[in-house]
């Protein structure tokens, strides 16, 4: 199902945009509108209705609402108070939206400002004092500026909730309601979200009038063969890190995000990956704003390959061209899973979403597989053969690409070495210097549980096995009720050990009765139990009779 078959514009020139905006889009290499842009831009340009637009992250939602808002504001009067306010869940998304809007504005007479926590508020106060047309910010900082009377929303014409579901999930419901209550009733309100939960519908009922509901279409090709390939591996908890490293080795060059549950998991995994020569960096809530900004900018510039993050830290971060999303910790909710894997497989490019889960998480995996409509496949971990083949293939590709431009100094060195040594042995030695044990099968012992077709959460074992286990449990319970211990089923090794223990006991008893009583000190006439203490047995076995008596006598004197 193509864009034309569902009545969508195939080019930005078909939309109601000014020549100046079209020129900016052409300069920025915006070739054709995405489905959500083709649906939303004409509606915002033509009618005056509020709108709820549902589309996945990374489908061009910012341009869908920013372009028509910019066109409308350029037709009105310019003042110092903002005429459009855009709320975002995180500071990173607020900065990203502001940067994109500034690109769309170009040299035209409009100003946008990012208002978020973590930046000195004085900078934002000066920006507002100089006049702002579009205010983009997080709910907390927006309220702070409103309480300081630095930000007034009396002239708002457009109010936008971007990533509304994430904002509501983060607990911003009350803040959003307070902000919207301070805006004029005649404004136009827009809500953009990947999902529309109950809280979002409640806000729509309270603050939107006759809202139009728009859903980005999914083509038949996307339904049958989605751009994101999804698969998962079952591994033991203690094997998780090694399993991930094997997947990374087998997948080859990766530019992706790895999601963990906690900050500690992020730090531990990042350090482990770095020790194993993977280019990875961490992103979590304990980093300062400057550190977060630097890490994200370096990742966007491809300074490293993998960003290890928590869900909270990664909210609102929109990074293009991700090849992989890896769930090192399985998400607890299907919406979180959708948000995570939606970061790859965009704009017609293929992506891969890989999940690791432990045996105890089988039920959660089954839930996610059901929610994915069967697209989430369970696979075995890459074995030694697959990993070694991938490493060899990458090495050949790299060597082949380097051959036409190899330095002459190395060619002369190669001639000198091959004149002395056998070329095959020489190359083999060089390969061993480079790979060490990486190409040896014994370097990859079996991990994980492998691919097994089983129904997670169902009872395991046959009826006979269940009945036997049940009978044993009932017999053990009845024995405990009568004060008896249930019989222990010993293996052959345990039986042999028990026999040796009984023989040693007999030896101990014989030595106990053979102690020289004359050389053994008395306890000052006090009666002594006929049973020798275990401490005395240990001394008796490790020393002669005289030494034994000497040690016991010295101990009593110390007392």
């Amino acid at each position: 199902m193509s864009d034309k078959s569902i009545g969508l514009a195939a080019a930005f020139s078909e939309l109601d945009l000014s020549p100046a905006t079209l020129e900016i889009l052409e300069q920025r290499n915006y070739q054709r509108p995405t489905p959500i842009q083709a649906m939303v831009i004409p509606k915002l340009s033509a009618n005056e209705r509020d709108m709820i637009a549902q589309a996945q992250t990374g489908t061009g939602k910012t341009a869908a609402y920013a372009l028509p808002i910019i066109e409308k504001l350029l037709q009105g009067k310019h003042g110092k108070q903002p005429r459009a306010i855009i709320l975002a869940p995180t500071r990173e998304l607020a900065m990203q939206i502001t940067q994109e809007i500034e690109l769309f504005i170009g040299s035209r007479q409009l100003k946008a400002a990012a208002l978020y926590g973590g930046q000195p508020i004085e900078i934002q106060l000066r920006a507002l004092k100089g006049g702002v047309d579009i205010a983009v910010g997080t709910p907390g900082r927006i309220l702070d500026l409103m309480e300081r009377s630095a930000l007034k929303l009396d002239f708002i014409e457009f109010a936008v909730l971007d990533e509304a579901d994430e904002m509501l999930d983060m607990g911003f419901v009350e803040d959003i309601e307070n902000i919207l209550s301070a805006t004029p009733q005649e404004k136009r309100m827009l809500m953009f979200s990947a999902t529309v939960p109950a809280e979002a519908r409640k806000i729509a009922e309270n603050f939107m009038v006759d809202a139009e509901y728009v859903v980005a279409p999914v083509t038949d090709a996307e339904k049958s063969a989605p751009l994101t390939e999804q698969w998962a591996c079952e591994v033991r908890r203690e094997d998780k890190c090694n399993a991930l490293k094997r997947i990374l080795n087998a997948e080859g060059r990766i530019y992706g995000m790895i999601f963990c549950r906690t900050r500690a998991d992020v730090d531990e995994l990042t350090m482990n990956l770095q020790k194993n020569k993977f280019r990875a960096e961490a992103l979590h809530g304990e980093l300062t704003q400057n550190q977060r900004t630097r890490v994200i900018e370096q990742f966007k510039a491809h300074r490293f390959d993998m960003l290890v993050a928590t869900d909270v830290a990664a909210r609102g971060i929109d990074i293009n061209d991700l090849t992989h999303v890896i769930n090192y910790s399985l998400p607890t909710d299907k919406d979180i899973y959708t948000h995570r894997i939606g970061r790859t497989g965009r704009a017609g490019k293929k992506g891969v979403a890989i999940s690791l889960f432990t045996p105890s998480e089988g039920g959660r995996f089954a839930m996610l597989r059901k929610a994915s409509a069967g697209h989430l496949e369970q696979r075995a971990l890459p074995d030694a053969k697959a990993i070694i083949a991938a490493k060899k293939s990458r090495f050949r590709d790299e060597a082949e690409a380097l051959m036409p431009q190899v330095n002459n100094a190395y060619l002369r060195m190669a001639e000198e070495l091959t004149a002395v040594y056998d070329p095959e042995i020489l190359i083999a030695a060089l390969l061993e210097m480079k790979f060490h044990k990486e190409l040896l099968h014994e370097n990859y012992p079996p991990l994980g549980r492998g691919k097994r077709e089983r129904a997670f959460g169902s009872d395991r074992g046959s009826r006979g096995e269940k009945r036997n286990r049940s009978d044993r449990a009932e017999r053990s319970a009845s024995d405990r009720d009568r004060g008896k211990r249930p019989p222990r089923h010993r293996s052959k090794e345990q039986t042999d050990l028990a026999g040796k223990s009984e023989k040693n006991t007999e030896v101990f008893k014989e030595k106990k009765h053979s102690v020289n009583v004359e050389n053994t000190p008395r306890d000052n006439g006090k009666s002594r139990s006929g049973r020798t203490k275990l401490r005395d047995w240990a001394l008796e076995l490790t020393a002669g009779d005289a030494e034994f008596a000497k040690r016991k006598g010295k101990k009593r004197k110390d007392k």
Side-chain angles (χ1 to χ4, degrees):
M1 184 166 53
S2 63
D3 293 347
K4 287 185 177 181
S5 65
I6 55 178
L8 297 182
F12 282 103
S13 58
E14 299 178 22
L15 305 175
D16 188 15
L17 298 173
S18 65
T21 298
L22 293 174
E23 184 179 353
I24 290 173
L25 292 174
E26 186 177 355
Q27 292 174 354
R28 299 296 171 186
N29 200 27
Y30 279 73
Q31 298 178 352
R32 56 179 299 170
T34 65
I36 192 65
Q37 292 167 355
M39 295 180 71
V40 169
I41 291 175
K43 293 180 181 297
L44 291 183
S45 302
N47 60 44
E48 299 296 325
R49 293 177 63 184
D50 294 342
M51 182 180 296
I52 301 173
Q54 184 175 351
Q56 295 300 319
T57 303
T59 53
K61 289 182 289 184
T62 303
Y65 64 75
L67 292 175
I69 286 177
I70 290 171
E71 298 274 287
K72 291 286 186 181
L73 295 183
L74 285 170
Q75 297 171 10
K77 294 181 179 180
H78 176 71
K80 285 198 171 185
Q81 296 299 329
R83 291 178 288 157
I85 184 167
I86 301 169
L87 299 181
T90 63
R91 61 194 76 170
E92 286 82 14
L93 183 58
M95 289 187 289
Q96 183 176 306
I97 293 171
T98 306
Q99 292 169 0
E100 200 165 346
I101 287 176
E102 288 174 341
L103 292 176
F104 293 145
I105 292 173
S107 59
R108 293 177 287 185
Q109 297 302 310
L110 285 179
K111 289 184 179 180
L115 311 172
Y116 54 87
Q119 185 187 55
I121 198 169
E122 290 76 15
I123 299 175
Q124 299 168 10
L125 291 172
R126 286 197 297 270
L128 291 172
K129 191 174 182 180
V132 169
D133 297 288
I134 304 174
V136 186
T138 54
R141 180 51 63 94
I142 294 291
L143 281 176
D144 190 3
L145 293 168
M146 290 170 61
E147 291 172 358
R148 294 169 181 255
S149 298
L151 177 63
K152 296 182 180 180
L153 307 181
D154 300 332
F155 300 98
I156 292 296
E157 299 175 24
F158 294 92
V160 182
L161 303 184
D162 199 341
E163 302 288 359
D165 52 353
E166 290 199 13
M167 275 195 293
L168 298 172
D169 186 51
M170 295 170 70
F172 288 132
V173 178
E174 187 175 348
D175 291 348
I176 293 172
E177 291 177 346
N178 291 335
I179 294 169
L180 294 177
S181 298
T183 58
Q185 290 187 352
E186 58 271 17
K187 68 181 180 301
R188 294 188 66 185
M189 185 172 164
L190 314 173
M191 181 185 294
F192 287 77
S193 184
T195 60
V196 185
E199 294 87 349
R201 290 193 292 269
K202 184 178 179 182
I203 288 179
E205 292 173 2
N206 294 337
F207 295 96
M208 303 178 81
V209 179
D210 191 24
E212 184 176 4
Y213 188 68
V214 176
V215 181
V218 179
T219 64
D220 294 337
E222 291 174 332
K223 289 179 181 178
S224 59
L227 292 174
T228 302
E229 177 187 355
Q230 305 174 50
W231 55 275
C233 293
E234 182 187 4
V235 297
R236 296 190 299 268
R237 187 179 301 277
E238 60 270 23
D239 291 335
K240 252 190 175 184
C241 190
N242 287 328
L244 174 61
K245 287 184 284 188
R246 293 193 182 185
I247 290 172
L248 297 178
N249 282 322
E251 288 292 302
R253 188 61 186 269
I254 286 179
Y255 179 59
M257 296 183 69
I258 303 175
F259 287 94
C260 296
R261 185 170 294 113
T262 65
R263 299 171 184 174
D265 291 341
V266 168
D267 286 333
E268 182 180 356
L269 180 60
T270 303
M271 290 178 61
N272 202 313
L273 290 174
Q274 290 173 347
K275 286 179 181 177
N276 286 271
K277 300 180 181 179
F278 292 102
R279 301 196 306 167
E281 294 294 338
L283 181 70
H284 54 64
E286 289 187 354
L287 300 179
T288 65
Q289 181 56 44
N290 289 336
Q291 289 173 325
R292 289 163 60 93
T293 302
R294 184 171 64 253
V295 168
I296 294 170
E297 288 178 352
Q298 289 178 346
F299 187 50
K300 288 182 176 180
H302 292 254
R303 300 285 179 84
F304 56 91
D305 301 323
M306 287 167 280
L307 183 65
V308 187
T310 59
D311 282 305
V312 174
R315 276 174 174 159
I317 298 175
D318 190 14
I319 300 173
N320 297 324
D321 302 326
L322 290 181
T323 62
H324 290 72
V325 169
I326 299 177
N327 297 308
Y328 187 73
S329 298
L330 208 63
T332 57
D333 184 81
K334 62 183 181 181
D335 289 337
I336 297 176
Y337 178 78
T338 302
H339 275 292
R340 286 184 182 182
I341 70 170
R343 298 173 184 274
T344 185
R346 298 178 177 178
K349 297 180 180 180
K350 296 272 185 185
V352 181
I354 304 171
S355 302
L356 297 177
F357 68 98
T358 61
S360 62
E361 295 175 318
R364 192 182 302 171
F365 167 72
M367 177 267 292
L368 295 177
R369 183 163 58 179
K370 182 178 180 182
S372 70
H375 294 303
L376 176 56
E377 178 188 356
Q378 186 181 353
R379 297 181 185 176
L381 277 173
D383 57 9
K385 184 177 179 180
I387 296 171
I388 293 171
K391 285 179 176 287
K392 288 180 177 179
S393 176
R394 287 196 297 273
F395 177 76
R396 281 195 296 267
D397 293 341
E398 292 172 3
E400 186 177 351
L402 187 61
M403 284 179 188
Q405 51 188 354
V406 67
N407 194 293
N408 288 329
Y410 294 108
L411 284 174
R412 290 193 295 270
M413 185 177 180
E415 291 174 358
E416 295 172 2
L417 291 172
T418 53
V420 178
Y421 303 104
D422 182 276
E424 288 187 3
I425 297 177
L426 177 62
I427 293 175
L430 294 174
L431 289 173
E432 187 165 354
M433 289 171 59
K434 175 177 175 56
F435 291 104
H436 191 46
K437 295 182 179 180
E438 292 182 38
L439 299 185
L440 304 180
H441 281 75
E442 55 267 28
N443 194 44
Y444 304 97
L447 283 182
R449 303 173 70 91
K451 181 181 178 181
R452 296 185 298 161
E453 295 297 333
R454 61 171 181 166
F456 288 102
S458 63
D459 294 330
R460 300 173 186 170
S462 63
R463 293 185 178 180
E465 292 172 342
K466 292 180 188 178
R467 189 181 301 114
N468 291 338
R469 289 197 299 266
S470 177
D471 292 343
R472 287 197 298 269
E474 290 177 3
R475 288 197 298 270
S476 297
S478 61
D479 288 342
R480 284 194 296 270
D481 293 340
R482 293 195 296 268
K484 297 180 181 179
R485 294 181 63 181
R488 298 178 61 184
H489 300 279
R490 295 178 175 175
S491 64
K492 184 178 182 301
E493 292 79 2
Q494 290 173 326
T495 303
D496 294 340
L497 287 174
K500 291 180 181 179
S501 176
E502 292 173 0
K503 290 180 181 178
N504 291 337
T505 303
E506 294 297 329
V507 173
F508 292 157
K509 289 180 179 179
E510 290 178 5
K511 287 201 173 188
K512 169 188 171 183
H513 294 295
S514 64
V515 175
N516 189 343
V517 180
E518 294 179 358
N519 295 333
T520 304
R522 302 289 181 181
D523 290 339
N524 297 328
K526 293 182 180 179
S527 62
R528 179 177 171 85
S529 171
R531 182 175 179 179
T532 308
K533 294 182 180 179
L534 293 176
R535 183 183 67 249
D536 295 347
W537 282 5
L539 290 171
E540 182 181 348
L541 291 172
T542 56
D545 291 346
E547 182 68 19
F548 170 60
K550 181 179 177 182
R551 291 183 183 178
K552 291 180 68 177
K554 186 177 180 181
K555 180 172 281 190
R556 291 193 181 89
K557 287 180 182 180
D558 294 340
K559 291 182 179 179

